[in-house]
Amino acid sequence: MGRKPCCDKHGVKRGAWTPEEDEILIDYIKKNGHGRWRSLPKHAGLLRCGKSCRLRWTNYLRPDIKRGPFTPEEETTIIQLHSMLGNRWAAIASKIPGRTDNEIKNFWNTHLKKRLLGSHQNQQTQWCSVLEPSNVQSKSPSTRHMAQWESARVEAEARLSMESLLLSPASMSKNDCDYFLRIWNSEVGDSFRKMNGQDGVTCQSPISPLSTKFRSGSSLTMQRGPAGTSTSTSTTITSKPKNMEPKSHTAYAQDTMTGSDSSSSYELGYFSDISFRLLLDFQGDNDMGFLQGLAG
DNA sequence: AACCGTGCCAACCGCCCGGAC
DNA sequence: GGTCCGGGCGGTTGGCACGGT
């Protein structure tokens, strides 16, 4: 069966756009606006697929597109947003004026990923050794506490995952299911924060890859503490993300620990000290509401 | 000069979603 | 509820540029 192609590939030009074609497309859109992409090429007199026209317009010809190299600020924003959103390039692009999802995606794949990979390798070694059971006993109290906390968090998320399967989304309120937030805000979380504060230890735990694995079906809110030292994270799982086979949280935990997950492109960020620190530093415009919207 | 490897990026492809009917 | 259509999204590819040998 299969889906009908978006356009008849016969008699349709492909490949690089010529300046003449660009001009025709720009002229047409200036006069008539865009939309109805499928019929646009016919009306504009272009031998192109409608999809190709849309892509050309959105990624290249649009007047508000900013060309040229990425600024350090843009770079930082991309890393921060990628830590939270994963490979949701359109969502990331929506927060960076003048940049397209395609451009950001290319920039990530060709520049940032490699850079983060370097620090990821160091960080993963460090973090895995912290969580190694045999090491948990021998490390400092704060390190041990970190491992225990992480373990508890993983467990809570696993339970959350189980319950999300049992409960209908309609019956789940944010407050009911947000174990992690409650634990974090409880004495347990408080003692964890104090422990790290007293020891002068910077928590280098990666932001939960488990939480963000469910990015497509979860809402995420973050609040920074007054001194920027405390961050509370609230994750509400409502459904499985698209393109994702059902998989338990514990399975993700195992994947994460063993590094066996093949979809590792955006996970590099989670284990990267750089991106983690940038994530904690993320101020944006103090409006994280867009994350809620992205939950779908 | 010719060849090769690598990086970059525009463009393509297939899948998915939401709305209209 | 099922189907069709328009459009968006993320992953991948192909071609060009450039540097090294």
Side-chain angles (χ1 to χ4, degrees):
Chain A
M1 275 270 279
R3 190 186 165 82
K4 202 169 66 175
C6 77
C7 52
D8 180 16
K9 289 192 173 62
H10 300 291
V12 170
K13 197 177 166 207
R14 298 175 63 194
W17 280 65
T18 64
E20 291 76 26
E21 287 176 314
D22 284 347
E23 205 175 325
I24 292 171
L25 183 59
I26 292 170
D27 280 350
Y28 181 84
I29 291 176
K30 270 183 186 169
K31 284 176 192 159
N32 304 286
H34 59 76
R36 295 269 156 197
W37 291 107
R38 202 173 285 219
S39 58
L40 186 148
K42 200 174 77 181
H43 294 138
L46 285 165
L47 292 173
R48 290 279 181 174
C49 162
K51 216 171 186 177
S52 178
C53 293
R54 183 178 63 81
L55 229 54
R56 183 65 181 170
W57 174 256
T58 55
N59 287 338
Y60 203 83
L61 299 176
R62 235 172 49 196
D64 56 332
I65 288 195
K66 196 201 294 186
R67 315 298 308 177
F70 281 78
T71 65
E73 288 76 22
E74 288 173 325
E75 216 172 281
T76 304
T77 307
I78 291 169
I79 295 169
Q80 287 166 337
L81 290 171
H82 189 271
S83 302
M84 290 181 278
L85 301 170
N87 294 0
R88 303 182 70 192
W89 308 115
I92 295 171
S94 71
K95 295 298 282 183
I96 304 177
R99 299 294 186 182
T100 68
D101 54 351
N102 206 34
E103 207 177 1
I104 292 169
K105 180 171 59 181
N106 284 334
F107 183 63
W108 176 268
N109 286 332
T110 55
H111 294 91
L112 299 178
K113 199 161 117 179
K114 286 174 202 162
R115 202 182 307 167
L116 292 175
L117 180 62
S119 66
H120 154 68
Q121 283 165 347
N122 294 336
Q123 177 74 13
Q124 192 178 34
T125 307
Q126 182 185 1
W127 185 243
C128 285
S129 81
V130 164
L131 290 179
E132 181 67 34
S134 60
N135 289 346
V136 167
Q137 300 302 318
S138 60
K139 298 287 179 186
S140 69
S142 62
T143 307
R144 212 164 51 231
H145 204 104
M146 279 169 57
Q148 286 167 356
W149 169 251
E150 182 66 11
S151 170
R153 190 188 53 72
V154 168
E155 191 183 326
E157 285 189 319
R159 191 170 59 233
L160 186 60
S161 175
M162 289 292 290
E163 292 194 8
S164 73
L165 292 174
L166 297 173
L167 295 171
S168 69
S171 67
M172 272 174 65
S173 73
K174 186 177 177 178
N175 289 337
D176 287 339
C177 66
D178 209 347
Y179 292 117
F180 180 47
L181 178 60
R182 275 188 278 158
I183 294 169
W184 180 259
N185 288 330
S186 71
E187 288 180 10
V188 179
D190 194 42
S191 72
F192 173 72
R193 289 190 294 273
K194 281 179 184 165
M195 174 73 78
N196 282 306
Q198 283 166 3
D199 289 359
V201 172
T202 303
C203 174
Q204 297 193 22
S205 160
I207 196 76
S208 166
L210 306 178
S211 302
T212 41
K213 275 286 188 183
F214 282 80
R215 64 192 185 280
S216 297
S218 63
S219 64
L220 173 72
T221 56
M222 296 184 75
Q223 294 175 329
R224 292 187 61 80
T229 52
S230 158
T231 304
S232 70
T233 305
S234 153
T235 309
T236 307
I237 295 171
T238 54
S239 66
K240 89 175 176 68
K242 73 175 185 181
N243 296 338
M244 188 194 251
E245 293 302 315
K247 200 174 184 182
S248 72
H249 270 127
T250 35
Y252 283 126
Q254 284 163 1
D255 285 350
T256 303
M257 292 307 143
T258 59
S260 65
D261 193 333
S262 61
S263 62
S264 59
S265 60
Y266 65 81
E267 286 186 352
L268 297 176
Y270 303 133
F271 286 96
S272 152
D273 189 36
I274 295 172
S275 60
F276 181 58
R277 266 186 276 122
L278 288 170
L279 175 60
L280 292 183
D281 289 344
F282 185 66
Q283 300 274 0
D285 46 9
N286 288 328
D287 173 19
M288 302 293 282
F290 72 98
L291 287 171
Q292 301 269 5
L294 294 166

